[in-house]
Structure formats: structure tokens, C-alpha cells
Amino acid sequence: MKPAAFDYIRADSAEETVALLRQYGDDAKILAGGQSLMAMLNIRLAQPKILVDISRCEQLNYARIDHGKLVIGAAATQASIEWRANLAQEVPLLKLAIPWISHFQVRNHGTVCGSVAHADPSAELPLCLTALQGEVVLRSHAGRRVLKADDFFQGMLTTAIRQGEIIEEVRFPLQDKNARYAFEEVSIRHGDFALVAVAAVVTPDSIDLTIGGVSDRARRLTLPKITGSDLDDAINDFAWELDAQSDTHATAQYRRHLVRELGRKLINGLMQ
Amino acid sequence: MNDISFHPDRAKADSAHIGRPALRVEDAALLSGRANYADDQGVKPGTVYAAILRSPHAHAEIASIDSAAALKMPGVRAVLTGADVKSWATPFAVGVRQPMEHWCMAIERVRYVGEPVAVVMAESRYLAEDALDAIKVEYRTLSAVVDPEAAAEASAPVLHEAVGSNVVNDRHFRYGDPEAAFAAAAHTVRLKVHYPRNSCTPIECFVVVAEHLPGDDGYDVFSNFQGPFALHPVMARALKVTGARLRLRSPRDSGGSFGVKQGVSTYIVLLCLASRKAGAPVKWVEDRLEHLQASVSATNRVTTLEAAVQPDGEILALRYDQIDDCGAYLRAPEPATFYRMHGSLTGAYKVRNLEVHNRVVLTNKTPSGLVRGFGGPQVYFALERLIQHIAVELRLDPLAVIERNLIEADTFPYRAPAGALLDSGDYQQAIAMAREQGGLAELLARRDQARAEGRLYGIGYAAIVEPSISNMGYITTALTAEERARAGPKNGASASATVSVDALGSVSVVIDSVPQGQGHRTVTAQVVADALGLNPPDIVVNAELDTQKDAWSIAAGNYSSRFAGAVAGTVHLAAVKVRDKLAVIAADMLGCSPKQIAFAKGKIFSLERPEEKLPFHRVAGATHWSPGMLPRGMTTGLRETVFWSPPQLVAPDENDVINSSGVYGFVFDICALEVDRATGKVRIDRYVSAHDAGRILNPALADGQIRGAFAQGLGAALMEEFVYGSDGSFLSGTFADYLVPTTCEVPELQILHMETPSPFTPLGSKGLGEGNNMSTPVCIGNALADALGKSDIVLPMTPSKIHALMALADPPPRKPRTGAPAQLPAGGHGLNMAGAVDLAASPEQVFAVLLDPDALSRVIPGCHALTRTGENRYRADVTIGIGLVKARYAAEVSLSELDPPNSLSLGGSGISAFGSASGAGKVRLEPAGSGTRLHYDYSVAVSGKVAAVGGRMLEGAAKIILRQLFEQLGRQAAGGEAAGAASTSLSWWRKLTNALKDAK
């Protein structure tokens, strides 16, 4: 369990990072927190020739409020966001969801943008970004482009990132004062990949339900303000649309059950 | 040698240190980062590092191995293959009489995923792993069999053709008159249960440093092998050297074993041969993937157990039908999983009639072996589940059924029908203690209240006998009496200990227990300090075993909870021998009788004149400094070695009566838990574990053992399993797949003790390190059966399985879904997928693409080259992957059952550094408007590394790749997009590789 040989370059700025990506093309991969990549390197599932380490790039290590959004730079760790003094007021869903990410040791290293780039179907941060309809800022030597979460995530471990691009930052909309937020997930042990993860956002006239761990990416359902059996039926239809898969830990049927149970529980809790 | 008299009562009266929670002497090094684990040991200059190429297939013939390219790689010294092994070694000895060969590496055929196929030796592990991918192995795959009941069928693929069957041992046993008892009983209650494959996963994996010595000097091995050293002769014979020419040494510290490091033995032989091939010492450190997929697994078992029961719950007879799945090879000491427990199959119960049918079956899985609790979890999961089931069937209280059948306290030592001589105990008192101190009445009231509120609350019990100090002869119970007579009797359980006193009067002790973290050095010092009137810090204990220098016998090692009963007792006997010699010298100096000599606080004195004290070092020093002054006839020096074996451990008799262990403790557990109706998750409300292990030597260490075993038992009950696909692929290759409980998941447990000293061990102690591995899985299982009102408890009881047992509705959507993939059967691990894709081309156009190699090459995802090898058969070079994960496969693609333009079969199979992958299925084309609806029905098999570590995403990944294949087919067939199709294919790949960009 030793990685194949690679060259390691520490980038100290975003400019240097995109220049390196331009220079090395497909051979280069970004290393930020390393919480997924290092394991894949060691087991040789990924064998990049060059690692560009941005974890100590101070220029990309930021989180700030800007134009109604919490903007998180590529080198900011999950822990640094978790412990923001006002996170519960800024982006309540993140406050609820981040503690579900593995264990604190992982959050101390893992980055917010890294998790978004990895696009694991069970991961909490892509789910939150999808639920809140946040944005991803992609930067290359040619400039920047901004994608909505729905356009960014394309499937299991698959995103709209093009060759030469890095996620420079992600943007989470700040709390909507009229909305209420809830998050919960089920895994066998605390910190495991979610069997099902659910975020709910309820406003005076709509219900948003976003599910992770079931489909190839987090999927969002927007409903009018309905209740009772109408709501149950809508959630059940959604549970089927997610096309749940079975693996060694959970059957598709159990995942559908959890979507129904958690979806109903979270939404009803928010509507009370 | 059993002629040494001992006096447990006297030892107890003397104890200033035994029985106290002394701090562990091991911990200063462990906690300050200065431990000396196997991997910490320096190696000789010139040592090379090994990496092992392993089979991605569960069952295949090896057509060829080509290591030429690997040998040309930088830093690569040598490659060991089956041909070398065949010329230098012999197969391992096997515990049953069958013509099947188990070598240290695959010879001509692989029989499980992860089986070693070649070993690369290079200047670093990195370079060795680089070279693994360059070894080309051609396999011809064979059908695999995974399920033990299926493997026992005559139609099953046979693993060892010379045997002709996968049932390699089949024995019937009968004790008492079971037929009459079943005929007489009011009820027959039956339960069929499955015990899964699991393990106890030490933090430290296997380590071997092996050196082939010059000339005919044999082999020198430093490894974290833990015993039993009955495997030393097995290894020496496999290497074709005498025992003395296979020197095994063990390190001071261990990162855990739990029995599993018994499995290092096969790698010791492999690495000895690797050293011979490389002409240099070789070091190998097993990694986690290797460990999970191919080290050791607990034996999975299928048991059908029947009881002849009277209306009041009295059990008149038991009838076991057991199938043990030992994996691909019967690796020594298997089939010991059966026979360790054989004498005590009636558990804590006074059942006198017993019938047993044991079958040992081989399947295409990793060989089984020692895992903490060895044999116990399998037996008790059947027996104690049956007790609970009897209570349900007869509407009795499960605890009343237990109590109705318990062995009476005044009947010890009690001879169980199959031969266990239960040495001591008071099971009724232990249960009363647990009931009262564990607050059972309160728990029953909580259950009533919870149920009244509609919650799922259950209480389970387990009453188990915990054997320790294995009889080296029990394994021969697998043979018939005639076969045993020919082989000669085997029995006993020799422990050895050496106590030395040097010229300055300081004491050192060498023991044969090869500790794996339990604290044996601490307890040994307590025992010797008591015998010699010293303090534990005065005693230095060395537990590193060296087979060329230390006293040891075949029973040496760390297993069967033998330390407290056998090893600590033998230490006591050796210390007493030293004491007796010192008493003679001191009596001579003090002018009194040796019988009057006493030892206390570092002084030696006569009880008659206690004011006249001799310093301990002065008396001991006399044996070194002034041997001429010793009493007449006394030998010089002060070093005593004692071998001890319990005389009760005799060989199985002609009726297969076997006292399988030296002593037997008792455990009674109560588990109260609640199941969340919404999620199926389990919350343990309270867990009470009451133990009687005879005399407790160090209560802090005893409780530590119980906590550890409980955590592992909880893991076995709720989350841990080595999962295999139906094709034999291994699916639990990481700690994200094989789930071990962490501190978050392990509740506090209430531990209770009582002490009924054993009359059979020198200090009255018994083992207690494995009890909860045996009791906790079934106790939690019984509580779940109670909570859910179900009998079909299949471990591990994950939330998904509990959900399935609750049998809740899965309401369909309001509108039936079109084109939706067929739903898989619950819990299926096989990747069967079906679906439909709409293509913008006619069926004829689609068919034309499939028959055109150029077009086909543009359709297959990641295809670099496609070469025709026959009619509708191609060789393809493809890179397949999702996101970060990609590998280049050498693949075969074939089209068959062509029915243009309606249907065909399209299949492919390939091999890469990730392992093997294949897909086969039917494609059906149906006109739909101006286009085609393509229906596919595929079975996909993935084996090797990517299956072991990527199970969570396999189904999704396979779907993506299939969908890409068919969508690309549509684009290609739509025509006018020929150029565009190629670029689309490229952009598909670009997208994948781009996904790697920012992955962190």
C-alpha cells in the first residue's frame, strides 16, 4: 500500500496553481486536505504524476461574507468553517451538517472545496451546496467561471471541472430569514459514509428536500407547501426517482425507507 | 511433568501482589512512543523488501506467469513463483486425512481472491509494488463456490480435485441416548442459524523478516507470529528443515493479534523461500488490504440445532448439524474451530444426550483460522439462540429455561457428555449476582413501559462456559478412533517458564505466552514477587520468544486464554522452585530447617527467629559468588525452568470423549436494547456481564480483557462481516467497508466478578479473555429477537437487515416508472442491472455499428485499440474509470447470439492492476418512433482490488459505464456524427480525467 512515484509541488498562490495545471495538464492533480486522495494514492487507485499541494496556500485559505454569501476558499478546512463564531446564523445548514463529516481529525485536514471537487455521492458538503443552490467558482489561467451547484455536479465522482481548472472558492447563500433548515443522516457508525443523508429547507411557501447517499449525486426536490398524505406521496415518488442502489451495507429498499422516514421527519419538524 | 505439588490456598495466603490492580509495566514504552513492534526492529544491511502479487480471481487455473518485465525494473532483485516453491518446499501438513495440497503460495491454481501468486523482492517496498503490475499472469477462470451448503452439494465446483468433494471431513458423534430422549420428549424445537465471516483486525498487521542462512544452516525468522507453536513443526516440515534449523524470534511489543497472527505462519514459509530466492534477508509488512482480504477469517458456520424439550423447558437432548466453511484450504490448526468446543457442546447445561454431525467444507474464500473466541461464537450463537427460541415456542421465560437446565453447583468437577471436565463454578450464584446487581427487574419494567408505548425494546441473555488452555489433542477428534490409533495419541497443553536470579540477586523471568498486548509481563512480575517476597519492580520479565534459546513446547503461544491458568501458574511453580532452593541455602546459613524459612520484603528469615534477616540478594548471590559454600549436593547457579501440563488433558478416547480444554469459566450476560422503528438502529440500554474465571490475578487487566472482547462481540453482532460476492469476489477491503466499532459505538458495560478457584491450575485461575467474544454476539442477537419478535437473526444485524426483518411496506410510486431499472433482490451483492436507453437511430443502424470494428472501437468507453481475434471476437485495450479511479484493462470483447436487428449478446472481460472485470448480457432493440429503445440486462462481475475497496460505488460505476456505452452506441449509429462521435468519446474521457483535477 505504497503510492506510485509522483512529483510534489507546493503552490503558494492561485496564480501559481493554475499555471502549474496549465503546464502539466492531465498529469497534475490538486492536493488540498488529502482525506480522499491520499487513501486513493496509497492503494494506487489514482496514480497522478504530479501533486500540486495547495494546503498551505494562504491566499486560498479564507472564508468571508460577500454579497449575501459565505465564500470559502480552496484551502479552508472544514474545521475552520465548523468553528466560525456565527456559522449558525450565517449558514445554519452547514452548522448542522459539518459535524456529520467523518470525525474531527478528518475535518481538521479536509477542505470544503476538496469535498465539493471529489463529488462523493454520500458527502455532506456537496449535498449542502446542492440544497442551498450555491455556486462553484472555477479558475484557470484563462480566467474564472461560476457554475451553479446543479450544473457543477454531474454524477458519481464527476463534475464540470475542466482540464486546467481549480475550484477557487465555493459560495453558500446566507440564511434566508424566512426559511428553516434541518439536516440528518443515517450511517452504521458515526462518521461513516452516509447510507442516506437528508437536508430540508422550508420557507413559508415551499419545501426543499435534498438527498445524498442514494443517487449518483445529491438530488433536490422542490415542493409547494403541502402536508399529510400529499407530502408523503411526493416524498415517496422522489424516493423512487432517486433510483437507489444496494451495496454491502444497505439495500435499495432500506434507502427508500430512510428517504421517506427522514424526509417526513425533517419537514414535519420544520413546519411545526 | 506433573509431579510438582502446588497449593493454591497457600499461594493465595501469601499474596501481597496477586489480585491487585497493578499498573502495567508495558505502558511506559507504549505511551512514550518507544515501543518495539515488529516493524520497528532494524534489519541487516542488504535486506530487500517484498510485495506480494495476489489473485484477483476466486477460482482459476494459472496458465502462465511472466515476470521478465518485472525483473528488468529498477531495484528489483528477484521474483518468487510457484515453481520455486515447488522445488524448495512441501505442502503444509493438514489435520485430516485427505489428498489435498496447501502450499504457501498458489501452485498452478488459485482458489481465493488474494491468494499469493508471486513475490517481488526489491530495494524498497515502493519499487516492489511498482513491479507487481509488470508481472503478467494468464488465468483460466473456473466456477467458484462461496456458500458452504452449496459447496457440499455433489454438483458444486470442486476445489481440490484429488479429494473429489468439497466436504473434506465428515464425522458423526453420539453421546448418551439421544434417539430415546428425542422420542420421549414432549417437544422438539429446532433452529437453523448462520454465523458469518468476521475477524478481530489488530492495528498492527503481519510482519516477517526472514533470512535464508548460508549453507545448510536453515532459516532465521523475526516475526509477529503468536503461536500456537504446534505450527513450528508444520513450518519446519514445509521448509524441509529440522526444527532446530528454523529459528523463530518474536518482538517485545505487539499491536494486537486476537488469534489472527497465527496466520503469519504461512507467510513465514513464503518469505523464507523468498529470501532463498533473493540471496538476502527479506522483510515483508502486510498492508491493510492484504490483511482484510487474505490473512485469516473466523470460520463461518451453518448450524441446525434441535433440542428435545419437556413442557417445563427441561432439555433432554441436543442434536447439532454443523457445517464449517474453512475457506479454500484446511490450514492448520483447522478444523479446530469445531473441536476446541467439542467437549463442551452442551454448554452450561446438564444435558446428557447429544448427537453431533460435523462437516468441514471448503469454498473459494480466504482460509479460516484463529480469531479470538475461536469456535465459541459459532457454538453459542446456535445454542443460546435455541434457548431463547425454546422459551418463545413454549411460552416460557428465557431465563427460566436457562435456570431449569444449569449444571448444579455441587456437581463440580462435572463431566459433560462429550468429555469436558468442568472444573469449578456456581452458575446459579453468578446469574443471581447479575440479576440483582445488574438491575434486571428494572430492565423488565422498562421493557413493559416501552412496549406499552409501541417501542421496540428487548432483553436477551447468554449463559456460556468459557474454555481455556486448549488440549493439544482435541484436534484429533476430527479423525476416527482407528485413524487416531495409527497416528499415536496427542494430548496435553505444556506451558513453560524460567526464573533466574543473577549475582546481584535480581530476578528475571522468561515466559512462553508471546503476549499480544495483554500485560503478561505485569502479571508475571506480580506472581514471582509474591513467591519470592519481593516487589514487582524487582522482577524483569522477558516475553520475547526465541525457539533456539528459550524453553518452549508445541503449546506455547498466545491463544486459548492460556496465560492466567497455565502460564502464570507455571511461572508460580518455577518461582517456587527457586524459592525452595534459596530456602535450603538460607536454612544452612541460619542454622534452621528449610521448612521454617520465610520470604518477605526482600528478606529471608526463619519464622522462629524473624529478627535475624538475610537480604535476598545475599542468599541468591551465594549461588554465583561462592558455589563452594553451598549445601552439599546442591548445583551451582540459580535458574529454574518448569514445564507444566494439566493432567486432566488426555487424548480423545475410543468413543470420541474429549476434554477439549483444561479449565472452564462461566459468563452470564444480560443485554437490554431498543430498536429505532424509523431507522432500524440499535441502542444498547444496558449491558451486564458477569464472570467467574476463578482467581483473578489482576482485576484491572481482567476488566480490560472483558471490555475489549465486548467491543469485538458488539462488532460481530451489529456491523462486522467479510462480505463476498456470489462469484467469490471479496468486498470488504477497507475499514470503510469492514466496519469495526469505535468508542462512539461501544456503550459502557457493567462488569461483575465472582471467584470460584479452579482446582486444576497452580493459582486457581482460568482464562477470561474470550468470554465476551462468545457471549456478546448471541446475547445481543437474543435481545434483538426479543425486541423484534423474530427468530431469523442473521449477524451482523445492520440497520438494513433489521429493517428487512421489520417487513415494512415499500409503497410504490404513484405513477409506475418507465424505463426504470429492475429492482434487485434485497441484499444482493451481485451486480445485475437492467434498463433501457432511447437512441436516435434505427435498430438496423445500431446493429451495423456493432458489427463494424472501427465503429465499435469508438463506442467502447476509453478504447485505445481494438484488434479482431475471430469472428465477432476482439482484443481491446481500454481505460475504464470513474472520477479519480481509472485503470487500463487488457480486455476480450465478444458478440454472440446475433439476431439482427432485434437482439444480441455483448460481453467483455478484462484484467488490470485493479483486478478483473467482466460483463455479459443481452441487448434487445425495439423500434421506438424514429429511433430505438435499447433494453439491456446485464450481469457484471468485478473482482480483485477495486471490488475490495470500492464496493460502495461499484453498482453506480458499472451503471455509468454501461450507460455511456449504449449512449455512445446511439450517437455513433445516428450517423453523420462519425467524427463528432470520436470527439464525444474523447470529451467523455476528458471529463473523467478533469474530475481528477481538483480532487482533494
Side-chain angles (χ1 to χ4, degrees), chain A residues 1-5 21 25-37 40 42-47 54 74 103 111 113-115 117-118 120-122 138 154-159 161-168 184 186-190 192-193 195 216 229-230 233-234 236-237 240-254 256-258 260-262, chain B residues 125-127 129-131 133 287-290 677-681 718-719 723 731-742 744-745 798-801 803-804 806 808-815 817 821 823-829 831 882-886 913-914 945-946 949-957 959-960 989-1000:
Chain A
M1 211 176 270
K2 305 288 185 195
L21 290 180
D26 265 357
D27 292 337
K29 308 284 170 272
I30 297 290
L31 170 68
Q35 297 305 292
S36 298
L37 180 59
M40 296 174 106
N42 284 342
I43 220 156
R44 296 191 177 213
L45 287 182
Q47 302 192 9
I54 60 164
H103 295 265
T111 62
C113 292
S115 174
H118 188 49
D120 187 302
S122 288
L138 296 164
Q154 301 195 337
M156 177 188 289
L157 306 183
T158 308
T159 70
I161 300 175
R162 292 181 190 145
Q163 187 179 328
E165 282 182 333
I166 176 182
I167 295 184
E168 184 174 38
E184 190 168 330
V186 172
S187 56
I188 296 180
R189 303 176 305 178
H190 176 77
D192 280 339
F193 293 110
L195 300 176
D216 62 342
S229 63
D230 289 343
D233 287 344
N236 186 44
D237 289 349
W240 284 93
E241 274 168 36
L242 293 170
D243 194 11
Q245 288 150 18
S246 296
D247 61 20
T248 59
H249 295 308
T251 61
Q253 186 178 340
Y254 176 59
R256 280 193 295 276
H257 169 79
L258 288 179
R260 289 189 290 263
E261 288 288 332
L262 295 184
Chain B
R125 173 69 178 250
Y126 294 86
L127 296 173
E129 288 195 20
D130 289 347
D133 293 350
D287 67 33
R288 183 60 62 187
L289 174 58
E290 293 182 288
R677 275 191 188 275
T679 62
K681 290 196 76 167
L718 299 178
M719 53 193 82
V723 178
L731 304 174
S732 306
T734 76
F735 276 146
D737 304 289
Y738 186 85
L739 305 181
V740 177
T742 70
C744 302
E745 285 76 42
T798 59
S800 183
K801 276 196 203 146
H803 166 78
M806 290 196 280
L808 301 174
D810 187 21
R814 283 174 290 192
K815 283 186 204 153
R817 304 174 63 225
Q823 285 305 314
L824 302 179
H829 299 308
L831 297 177
I882 301 294
L884 266 177
V885 180
K886 56 172 176 171
F914 286 3
K945 189 195 279 185
V946 80
V949 306
R952 186 170 60 97
M953 300 201 185
L954 274 189
E955 187 172 340
K959 275 185 178 167
I960 289 174
W989 179 239
R990 180 72 23 96
K991 197 167 73 180
L992 265 188
T993 50
N994 283 343
L996 309 182
K997 280 288 169 291
D998 276 37
K1000 286 118 184 155

Side-chain angles (χ1 to χ4, degrees), chain B residues 221-469:
Chain B
V221 177
F222 177 80
S223 80
N224 51 9
F225 173 65
Q226 58 133 51
F229 279 76
L231 293 173
H232 183 275
V234 173
M235 290 182 258
R237 283 175 58 180
L239 286 166
K240 300 202 273 195
V241 294
T242 60
R245 293 197 192 281
L246 173 60
R247 181 183 185 185
L248 295 189
R249 295 175 291 124
S250 59
R252 186 185 69 191
D253 296 313
S254 164
S257 169
F258 318 112
V260 173
K261 283 180 182 154
Q262 158 253 326
V264 181
S265 56
T266 58
Y267 289 100
I268 287 175
V269 174
L270 182 65
L271 274 297
C272 281
L273 301 177
S275 170
R276 185 166 176 174
K277 179 86 178 186
V282 174
K283 180 171 182 177
W284 171 69
V285 179
E286 180 188 54
D287 67 33
R288 183 60 62 187
L289 174 58
E290 293 182 288
H291 186 82
L292 290 172
Q293 82 173 353
S295 61
V296 168
S297 162
T299 313
N300 55 307
R301 179 177 295 176
V302 182
T303 305
T304 305
L305 180 56
E306 290 175 300
V309 194
Q310 297 291 60
D312 67 347
E314 182 190 10
I315 301 170
L316 301 179
L318 289 171
R319 184 185 285 143
Y320 282 89
D321 185 314
Q322 308 186 105
I323 301 175
D324 259 7
D325 174 357
C326 288
Y329 300 94
L330 198 63
R331 187 160 75 188
E334 288 285 34
T337 304
F338 270 147
Y339 295 100
R340 182 202 189 181
M341 302 301 293
H342 192 81
S344 54
L345 278 175
T346 42
Y349 308 117
K350 54 191 174 188
V351 179
R352 297 309 308 171
N353 305 296
L354 173 67
E355 192 178 331
V356 184
H357 182 200
N358 282 347
R359 276 174 290 171
V360 178
V361 168
L362 301 189
T363 63
N364 293 106
K365 300 206 280 283
T366 296
S368 60
L370 266 62
V371 171
R372 189 176 184 181
F374 194 50
Q378 290 89 341
V379 164
Y380 291 121
F381 190 70
L383 180 56
E384 294 301 292
R385 280 289 302 117
L386 182 70
I387 297 286
Q388 195 266 356
H389 191 57
I390 288 170
V392 170
E393 293 284 299
L394 304 189
R395 298 176 188 281
L396 299 168
D397 172 19
L399 191 49
V401 178
I402 290 172
E403 291 183 310
R404 176 68 187 82
N405 291 288
L406 285 178
I407 294 162
E408 305 294 343
D410 59 4
T411 56
F412 290 98
Y414 173 89
R415 179 72 72 179
L421 183 59
L422 307 181
D423 49 314
S424 67
D426 186 337
Y427 301 168
Q428 290 78 4
Q429 193 191 329
I431 289 177
M433 176 177 72
R435 184 200 285 271
E436 285 157 29
Q437 296 182 39
L440 179 58
E442 179 199 352
L443 296 175
L444 290 167
R446 277 190 208 180
R447 182 175 68 179
D448 289 343
Q449 190 186 340
R451 287 183 176 173
E453 294 166 9
R455 286 148 52 203
L456 298 170
Y457 193 102
I459 294 176
Y461 310 98
I464 68 134
V465 167
E466 178 182 1
S468 53
I469 314 177

Side-chain angles (χ1 to χ4, degrees), chain B residues 843-907:
Chain B
E844 288 78 8
Q845 287 171 304
V846 172
F847 227 91
V849 169
L850 290 169
L851 297 177
D852 171 4
D854 284 345
L856 188 61
S857 73
R858 286 194 288 272
V859 167
I860 296 170
C863 185
H864 305 286
L866 190 76
T867 319
R868 190 170 180 277
T869 56
E871 192 181 351
N872 291 321
R873 302 185 68 84
Y874 304 95
R875 181 170 297 127
D877 173 11
V878 294
T879 300
I880 296 181
I882 301 294
L884 266 177
V885 180
K886 56 172 176 171
R888 196 157 181 160
Y889 284 82
E892 307 281 336
V893 178
S894 64
L895 282 66
S896 59
E897 299 179 64
L898 300 172
D899 176 15
N902 304 313
S903 70
L904 79 162
S905 293
L906 174 61

